[in-house]
Every structure is written in C-alpha cells, then in structure tokens.
Amino acid sequence: MYQVTAITGDRSIVIMRPDGLNAMLTGASIKEELNTIPSFSFSMLPNNPGYNQIMPLVTQVIVKRIDTGDILFDGRVLVPTNDMDESGALTRDYTCEGALGYLHDVVLGYQTIIGNPAAIIRQLIDQFNSQVEPFKQIKLGVMPESPNIRTLKTSAEKDLYDTLHDFVVTTLGYDMRARSDTEGRFLDVKSQLGDVSPTIIKLGINLKSMSIEEDPTSIITRLVPLGAVKEGANDATTGADEVQPRVNLTDAGKPLFIDIPDLISIYGVQSGVQVFDDAKTAIDVEMAARSWISGQRPVLRKFSISALDLSLIGKAPEDFRVYNFYRVVNPATQTDEVMRVIGETLDLIKPQNAELTIGNKFKSAIDFATENLNAGQSIGSLRTNLKQQNIRIVAANKTAKAAQETVIKVQATVVELQESLEKADLNGINHSLTAMNSQLSSLFSNIGEIGVQLSKVQAAQKTPSGATLATIEERVKKLEDAAKPAEGD
C-alpha cells in the first residue's frame, strides 16, 4: 500500500515496499498537525538496503501511497538513533521533518517588504530558492487573494520559517502547508485550506473510539469593555511606562463592567477585559460590548478520534487528511456535525487505524450549559436503546448458536456417511440387494398361491345347500342344547 524511498544525491533506495518483500521497516508513522512541520519516524534492521545509506540533513525521504499515487510525506532525515536490545538485535531509528522545515535553512536579515500578502510571500520564497540546493526549492501553490497592503519587517534574529509562519499564521490568521505531487513541491497559503470530504466518520461503521475535551476556563461572565485611548493621553507629559486611560462605561455614568446573568448563574463571577480600539465614545464601547457578548464562544472543544480508514479496502470515498472537513456522527456523545481534522497520526504498518484530532471547535457557554442539562435525558434514552439492542443481540446469538450446533451435527453425519461409503463393498451390497429382490418376488408369488388354496378350502367346506363347516357346527350345538333335560326334572 505504501512505498518509502530514501534519496541521497542521485541515488534512490526503496526502504519499504508495498509487498513487504526484501525491504520492510519495523516501524513507520507520519504525524501531521495544522500549520506545523509534519514529521515521519521509522525503524529498520541491518538487512534493509538503506541501513548504511542514509545521511542526516542530506537524505530526502518520500512516502507514497501506491494505489492513489498521493505523496503523504516529503522531507529529510534529521536524527538517527542506533539501538540494541537485550538479545543483541540491532535497529536504527530515524526522525524526519517535512519540506516546510527547509525554510529553517535561510535567514533573510533586516528587510522591509511592502505589498499584498501574495506579493510578500512570493518575494520571501524567491529569496529562499536563490539560496538553497535544488532539492529543497519550493514553488508557489494556492496563494491568498487579499489586495490589502501589508508591511513585513524581517530580522536576522529569525530564520525564514519563523518569519513566514508569524506573518501568515499569527498576523494574517491564514493556513499554510507544503504540498507535493507529480508536478513538484508547492507552498499553499489561504485563509482556510482543505475541502469538505464525502467520507463520514460514524459510530458502527468506521468510528472506533472518541473523546471530547471541553475547556470553559476562558469564559467571561463579567465583561470590562474598554475603548480607544483618550485624547491627550499620549502627550509629552505621559511617560512610556505610565498607564494610558481609555474610554469606558464610567464616562457615561455607568458601572465599569457589564454582567452576563445567565453565565454568572452557572459559572459565577469571572471578570475579563476586552479592548475595542475603534470605540471612541462610551456609547460606542457599550454597543461593541453587547455585540461581543452575543457572539462570545469561549468554550473550546477538542475531539480525539480513533477511526478505521476504509478507503484502503474501497469502502470509503477517500482517506483522512489534515485541513479537510468530515461529518462526525456519534449518538453516544450527541455529535452530528461537520468538523475539521487538525491533526493525524498514520501508522504505515497498520494503516487501517488512524488517530485523528478534530477541532478546535468553539461554542457558546450557554450552549455548553444547555447540553449538560440535557445530557441526562439523552443518556437515559441511549441506555434504553442499547438495552433493547443487547436483548436482540442475545436472542440472535442463541439462534445462531443453535443453528451452528445443527450444522455441526449434520457435518458429522455427512462425514460418517462418507467414511461408511469409502469402506463399503458396493459390489457385494448390490449383489445382496438383487438376491433380496429375487426372494421378495418369490415370496409374493407364494403368498398368491396360498390365497388361492385358501379359497379352494373355503369352497370345499360348503354343502350342496350352501352351508359351511361353521354353520353346521352352530346348528349341531343348538340341537345338543335342546336335547338336554330341563332343570329340576
């Protein structure tokens, strides 16, 4: 299913084949997370053809899925580790980083780059490609379409990867990844990468286990809204270390904070500050605060899922991919929604088992509390359904067991018949049956003759008057009775 190739200069060595013949790894797994550098770890024995052919930082490693042609990992070897167990067996472990890690190899120095996001990224990548070896170079793939002009200042204290990541992910809030295919290696940058997959993760089909982490610790139940810095707060008399007053609700004669009663009744008082730099008056601050409260979604949900990759056997449209969105259905946790995969661990040795991280998904604290209140009823209903299903399963198991026992008995009888037939003298049995048929025919003939003789005897017993031996004996008996003297004479 997977092929792993190690490339050092002009030499390529297959260190893992799909059929497992001649080249096989004892362990191999890919780990990928959203907007980070993927990693690939593998182990090999001394009999692997690549055992002494891999060089740190120089050897490139490609992991390819053969049936689809997709490149799942493209990167380089970082750290080798030699191990020997108690029996003296030797293994060598390697850790690899994805192609995004090549960006660590360049430092741009002090520059100021002005332009829209796509233009800035293009200039960064052009400088990178001009300074590295050809096997590290990367092309521009999907680029942001925003026309807004930005300013990026680079520093000799940061390498290119840190500079690009801070600009794309931290400043712009975009996604970034390195993608490899038959056309080459590409850098994708977009406000949101990934597609909605037709594959469904569902309990009873491909969902093995699921855990949900819900963190409401960032919730604010008493909001302190602040606006822009007040005019005159930035004059020369204000020191750099002094607090600069901001517009707030007390400027309109109101309390400094706004309580959220529904949340306070559940979580108590949890104060927090939000700054709205565009709010120039107390009224603007209050409007911005009310809007923020209505959209507050501080409860973070992270789903960890163990699922079966049914695409390996043609039972699912496609495999799991980081950045993509999947519908997750699990009645046991009241889950039926489309979620994004933000992390995946793929075991190449046991590829049917995929460990996925779904999220991070925010929801409102009110929704969170409502779900908790309704959870008892849903769990009770679920338990009832599970109990009924268990009863049906037990009955089905009994029926299946009885059917299996019957099958076993029939199979035993068939075996006995087969053994008897193998041992039997079929010619002798056929001769005996022929003799028995002859005897039966003779017997039927004798029975017919006996019937004829009986008819003759019965006919001989009749007198010319038609009386038979039986009627004569009856008449004689009556005469004898009549000849007896009467009682008392």
Side-chain angles (χ1 to χ4, degrees), residues 45-58:
L45 297 174
N47 62 353
N48 192 293
Y51 190 78
N52 290 316
Q53 306 299 322
I54 296 177
M55 298 178 61
L57 299 178
V58 176

PDB file of all heavy atoms in Angstrom, residues 45-58:
ATOM      1  N   LEU A  45      16.026  -2.666  10.252  1.00  0.00           N
ATOM      2  CA  LEU A  45      17.007  -3.659  10.680  1.00  0.00           C
ATOM      3  C   LEU A  45      18.234  -3.587   9.772  1.00  0.00           C
ATOM      4  O   LEU A  45      18.179  -3.010   8.681  1.00  0.00           O
ATOM      5  CB  LEU A  45      16.387  -5.051  10.632  1.00  0.00           C
ATOM      6  CG  LEU A  45      15.188  -5.285  11.565  1.00  0.00           C
ATOM      7  CD1 LEU A  45      14.577  -6.656  11.309  1.00  0.00           C
ATOM      8  CD2 LEU A  45      15.577  -5.131  13.023  1.00  0.00           C
ATOM      9  N   PRO A  46      19.352  -4.192  10.181  1.00  0.00           N
ATOM     10  CA  PRO A  46      20.576  -4.131   9.369  1.00  0.00           C
ATOM     11  C   PRO A  46      20.428  -4.733   7.980  1.00  0.00           C
ATOM     12  O   PRO A  46      21.213  -4.401   7.086  1.00  0.00           O
ATOM     13  CB  PRO A  46      21.589  -4.916  10.212  1.00  0.00           C
ATOM     14  CG  PRO A  46      21.099  -4.768  11.611  1.00  0.00           C
ATOM     15  CD  PRO A  46      19.606  -4.784  11.516  1.00  0.00           C
ATOM     16  N   ASN A  47      19.453  -5.641   7.774  1.00  0.00           N
ATOM     17  CA  ASN A  47      19.306  -6.253   6.455  1.00  0.00           C
ATOM     18  C   ASN A  47      18.552  -5.368   5.460  1.00  0.00           C
ATOM     19  O   ASN A  47      18.371  -5.744   4.309  1.00  0.00           O
ATOM     20  CB  ASN A  47      18.621  -7.611   6.568  1.00  0.00           C
ATOM     21  CG  ASN A  47      17.211  -7.499   7.141  1.00  0.00           C
ATOM     22  OD1 ASN A  47      16.794  -6.426   7.571  1.00  0.00           O
ATOM     23  ND2 ASN A  47      16.479  -8.593   7.149  1.00  0.00           N
ATOM     24  N   ASN A  48      18.100  -4.198   5.892  1.00  0.00           N
ATOM     25  CA  ASN A  48      17.434  -3.281   4.972  1.00  0.00           C
ATOM     26  C   ASN A  48      18.472  -2.649   4.057  1.00  0.00           C
ATOM     27  O   ASN A  48      19.542  -2.229   4.520  1.00  0.00           O
ATOM     28  CB  ASN A  48      16.686  -2.201   5.759  1.00  0.00           C
ATOM     29  CG  ASN A  48      15.745  -1.382   4.906  1.00  0.00           C
ATOM     30  OD1 ASN A  48      16.167  -0.631   4.031  1.00  0.00           O
ATOM     31  ND2 ASN A  48      14.455  -1.507   5.165  1.00  0.00           N
ATOM     32  N   PRO A  49      18.206  -2.551   2.758  1.00  0.00           N
ATOM     33  CA  PRO A  49      19.201  -1.999   1.831  1.00  0.00           C
ATOM     34  C   PRO A  49      19.593  -0.558   2.115  1.00  0.00           C
ATOM     35  O   PRO A  49      20.640  -0.100   1.652  1.00  0.00           O
ATOM     36  CB  PRO A  49      18.520  -2.123   0.464  1.00  0.00           C
ATOM     37  CG  PRO A  49      17.065  -2.258   0.748  1.00  0.00           C
ATOM     38  CD  PRO A  49      16.980  -2.995   2.048  1.00  0.00           C
ATOM     39  N   GLY A  50      18.789   0.159   2.879  1.00  0.00           N
ATOM     40  CA  GLY A  50      19.125   1.543   3.173  1.00  0.00           C
ATOM     41  C   GLY A  50      19.784   1.744   4.519  1.00  0.00           C
ATOM     42  O   GLY A  50      19.986   2.890   4.942  1.00  0.00           O
ATOM     43  N   TYR A  51      20.144   0.637   5.188  1.00  0.00           N
ATOM     44  CA  TYR A  51      20.639   0.733   6.570  1.00  0.00           C
ATOM     45  C   TYR A  51      21.857   1.645   6.694  1.00  0.00           C
ATOM     46  O   TYR A  51      21.946   2.450   7.617  1.00  0.00           O
ATOM     47  CB  TYR A  51      20.967  -0.670   7.089  1.00  0.00           C
ATOM     48  CG  TYR A  51      21.252  -0.724   8.575  1.00  0.00           C
ATOM     49  CD1 TYR A  51      20.206  -0.684   9.495  1.00  0.00           C
ATOM     50  CD2 TYR A  51      22.557  -0.794   9.047  1.00  0.00           C
ATOM     51  CE1 TYR A  51      20.457  -0.726  10.862  1.00  0.00           C
ATOM     52  CE2 TYR A  51      22.815  -0.841  10.411  1.00  0.00           C
ATOM     53  CZ  TYR A  51      21.769  -0.806  11.315  1.00  0.00           C
ATOM     54  OH  TYR A  51      22.019  -0.850  12.661  1.00  0.00           O
ATOM     55  N   ASN A  52      22.799   1.550   5.792  1.00  0.00           N
ATOM     56  CA  ASN A  52      24.022   2.354   5.873  1.00  0.00           C
ATOM     57  C   ASN A  52      24.099   3.413   4.773  1.00  0.00           C
ATOM     58  O   ASN A  52      25.178   3.917   4.466  1.00  0.00           O
ATOM     59  CB  ASN A  52      25.254   1.443   5.782  1.00  0.00           C
ATOM     60  CG  ASN A  52      25.422   0.585   7.024  1.00  0.00           C
ATOM     61  OD1 ASN A  52      25.275   1.060   8.149  1.00  0.00           O
ATOM     62  ND2 ASN A  52      25.716  -0.692   6.815  1.00  0.00           N
ATOM     63  N   GLN A  53      22.942   3.744   4.176  1.00  0.00           N
ATOM     64  CA  GLN A  53      22.936   4.656   3.037  1.00  0.00           C
ATOM     65  C   GLN A  53      22.238   5.979   3.330  1.00  0.00           C
ATOM     66  O   GLN A  53      22.098   6.805   2.424  1.00  0.00           O
ATOM     67  CB  GLN A  53      22.241   3.976   1.840  1.00  0.00           C
ATOM     68  CG  GLN A  53      22.816   2.630   1.459  1.00  0.00           C
ATOM     69  CD  GLN A  53      24.272   2.720   1.042  1.00  0.00           C
ATOM     70  OE1 GLN A  53      24.675   3.688   0.389  1.00  0.00           O
ATOM     71  NE2 GLN A  53      25.071   1.732   1.416  1.00  0.00           N
ATOM     72  N   ILE A  54      21.807   6.191   4.562  1.00  0.00           N
ATOM     73  CA  ILE A  54      21.031   7.388   4.903  1.00  0.00           C
ATOM     74  C   ILE A  54      21.897   8.372   5.669  1.00  0.00           C
ATOM     75  O   ILE A  54      22.555   8.002   6.653  1.00  0.00           O
ATOM     76  CB  ILE A  54      19.783   7.009   5.725  1.00  0.00           C
ATOM     77  CG1 ILE A  54      18.846   6.130   4.872  1.00  0.00           C
ATOM     78  CG2 ILE A  54      19.053   8.250   6.214  1.00  0.00           C
ATOM     79  CD1 ILE A  54      17.617   5.646   5.606  1.00  0.00           C
ATOM     80  N   MET A  55      21.902   9.637   5.235  1.00  0.00           N
ATOM     81  CA  MET A  55      22.729  10.677   5.843  1.00  0.00           C
ATOM     82  C   MET A  55      21.836  11.785   6.421  1.00  0.00           C
ATOM     83  O   MET A  55      20.940  12.287   5.723  1.00  0.00           O
ATOM     84  CB  MET A  55      23.674  11.278   4.806  1.00  0.00           C
ATOM     85  CG  MET A  55      24.670  10.291   4.216  1.00  0.00           C
ATOM     86  SD  MET A  55      25.703  11.071   2.959  1.00  0.00           S
ATOM     87  CE  MET A  55      26.498  12.352   3.941  1.00  0.00           C
ATOM     88  N   PRO A  56      22.041  12.173   7.679  1.00  0.00           N
ATOM     89  CA  PRO A  56      21.243  13.247   8.281  1.00  0.00           C
ATOM     90  C   PRO A  56      21.367  14.556   7.498  1.00  0.00           C
ATOM     91  O   PRO A  56      22.444  14.897   6.990  1.00  0.00           O
ATOM     92  CB  PRO A  56      21.854  13.389   9.681  1.00  0.00           C
ATOM     93  CG  PRO A  56      22.517  12.077   9.939  1.00  0.00           C
ATOM     94  CD  PRO A  56      23.005  11.592   8.619  1.00  0.00           C
ATOM     95  N   LEU A  57      20.251  15.252   7.339  1.00  0.00           N
ATOM     96  CA  LEU A  57      20.130  16.550   6.677  1.00  0.00           C
ATOM     97  C   LEU A  57      20.312  16.491   5.168  1.00  0.00           C
ATOM     98  O   LEU A  57      19.955  17.450   4.466  1.00  0.00           O
ATOM     99  CB  LEU A  57      21.129  17.561   7.256  1.00  0.00           C
ATOM    100  CG  LEU A  57      20.969  17.883   8.747  1.00  0.00           C
ATOM    101  CD1 LEU A  57      22.055  18.862   9.171  1.00  0.00           C
ATOM    102  CD2 LEU A  57      19.605  18.460   9.046  1.00  0.00           C
ATOM    103  N   VAL A  58      20.827  15.379   4.654  1.00  0.00           N
ATOM    104  CA  VAL A  58      21.088  15.281   3.221  1.00  0.00           C
ATOM    105  C   VAL A  58      20.101  14.358   2.531  1.00  0.00           C
ATOM    106  O   VAL A  58      19.630  14.648   1.424  1.00  0.00           O
ATOM    107  CB  VAL A  58      22.536  14.789   2.971  1.00  0.00           C
ATOM    108  CG1 VAL A  58      22.787  14.591   1.479  1.00  0.00           C
ATOM    109  CG2 VAL A  58      23.534  15.776   3.555  1.00  0.00           C
TER     110      VAL A  58
END
